[in-house]
Amino acid sequence: MQILLIDIKQTFRNKRFILFTLLIPVFWYLMMVSLAKSAGFLTANYAYIWIICANIIGISGNSIITFAKKTSNTKHFYQIQDQTSEYNVIKWILTQLAMQFLLNLIISLAIILTGFIIQAITININTVIMLILLSFFGLYLSIIGFLLGIVLDKKTLDAVAMPLTMFTAILMIPFNTWLSGTFANIITPIQKAFPGYYLVTIIFNLINDISISSAILKYMLTLTLAIIPIAILYLLQKRDHIHAH
């Protein structure tokens, strides 16, 4: 718990986290709602779709880019800790995922509260369900960020940060919710392999009183796929620990 609190304090001292991960998604959402209001086409569907997109932007930046860099910078220290203390790699992973869960929750709450303040959305059971789904989504992206941090060094992560963020957004944000044509037809089947597509579908169905059972099942299935690399890592770590003794 003490390590978790220290990590959270250090994160909130990071100006890049405050600006790029927390404020930019909030401002992006404000801009989209303001433009829609000015043009006269703001609807509940758009308001909630954009809030999901804003969350994907913020959570992706935190879980994939920032967390990957942190993992890359600290992995050697925790490998030494694993060999010299009871704080092994698995405990470190769980601590880091717990911190990512809290940080992503803060990002989501900030965006949702913004939508409520400007009267674009209302706080109801749909909002609570959305927050729960976003929390699972954040853990999914955190696992991806962790694996990237293990595999790539800091310089490589700096070089691929922007393309990676754009690539994640393209895969996770369903374009067919507001676009049609060749591009949407090509990218949509690819997006269906990732949970972001079903996250938007679930919220859209909730707003419009459509069954969400099929979308929930597919959402959980795509999230579960992210557990496989962590399970493999755990088994390898456990095997190495047994051989060491």
Side-chain angles (χ1 to χ4, degrees):
M1 181 61 71
Q2 186 176 2
I3 295 174
L4 184 63
L5 292 174
I6 292 171
D7 279 346
I8 290 175
K9 288 179 181 178
Q10 289 177 341
T11 300
F12 276 93
R13 292 193 188 106
N14 186 345
K15 294 179 180 178
R16 289 180 61 86
F17 172 82
I18 299 297
L19 177 61
F20 292 103
T21 309
L22 193 59
L23 295 182
I24 283 183
V26 169
F27 289 140
W28 182 88
Y29 184 72
L30 284 171
M31 180 186 68
M32 296 302 292
V33 172
S34 297
L35 289 173
K37 283 184 176 180
S38 299
F41 66 89
L42 180 64
T43 64
N45 285 342
Y46 281 125
Y48 277 92
I49 287 172
W50 290 330
I51 217 165
I52 294 293
C53 293
N55 271 281
I56 289 176
I57 293 169
I59 292 174
S60 297
N62 177 55
S63 295
I64 293 184
I65 306 304
T66 304
F67 186 40
K69 289 181 180 179
K70 180 182 177 182
T71 300
S72 181
N73 290 336
T74 58
K75 61 186 176 184
H76 297 299
F77 170 75
Y78 282 102
Q79 285 170 352
I80 295 173
Q81 285 282 94
D82 181 49
Q83 297 172 359
T84 59
S85 72
E86 295 182 357
Y87 193 70
N88 58 32
V89 171
I90 300 304
K91 290 180 180 178
W92 174 56
I93 293 172
L94 293 176
T95 300
Q96 295 304 312
L97 288 178
M99 188 187 74
Q100 291 303 304
F101 177 84
L102 290 175
L103 292 176
N104 289 331
L105 183 62
I106 291 169
I107 292 169
S108 296
L109 287 172
I111 298 169
I112 290 171
L113 184 60
T114 300
F116 176 72
I117 290 173
I118 63 175
Q119 299 181 339
I121 65 168
T122 56
I123 304 297
N124 52 31
I125 187 61
N126 291 345
T127 314
V128 174
I129 293 173
M130 178 174 65
L131 188 59
I132 294 171
L133 294 174
L134 285 168
S135 297
F136 283 108
F137 182 73
L139 288 175
Y140 167 83
L141 292 184
S142 295
I143 291 170
I144 295 175
F146 172 80
L147 294 174
L148 288 173
I150 292 295
V151 174
L152 303 177
D153 57 41
K154 185 177 183 298
K155 290 184 179 179
T156 304
L157 287 169
D158 286 335
V160 302
M162 183 58 69
L164 191 59
T165 302
M166 294 176 64
F167 182 68
T168 302
I170 289 173
L171 288 179
M172 298 293 177
I173 300 174
F175 289 93
N176 65 353
T177 54
W178 66 82
L179 288 178
S180 60
T182 304
F183 176 75
N185 293 336
I186 292 173
I187 198 68
T188 297
I190 300 172
Q191 290 178 321
K192 288 182 178 181
F194 299 92
Y197 178 90
Y198 302 105
L199 180 58
V200 175
T201 302
I202 291 166
I203 300 305
F204 182 86
N205 289 358
L206 283 172
I207 296 169
N208 294 280
D209 294 323
I210 301 172
S211 173
I212 63 171
S213 56
S214 176
I216 282 282
L217 181 62
K218 292 175 181 177
Y219 179 69
M220 297 308 295
L221 178 62
T222 51
L223 286 175
T224 304
L225 293 176
I227 298 174
I228 297 174
I230 292 297
I232 293 172
L233 181 67
Y234 173 75
L235 293 173
L236 290 175
Q237 191 271 340
K238 189 175 182 180
R239 185 195 65 182
D240 293 343
H241 182 75
I242 292 172
H243 289 335
H245 289 77

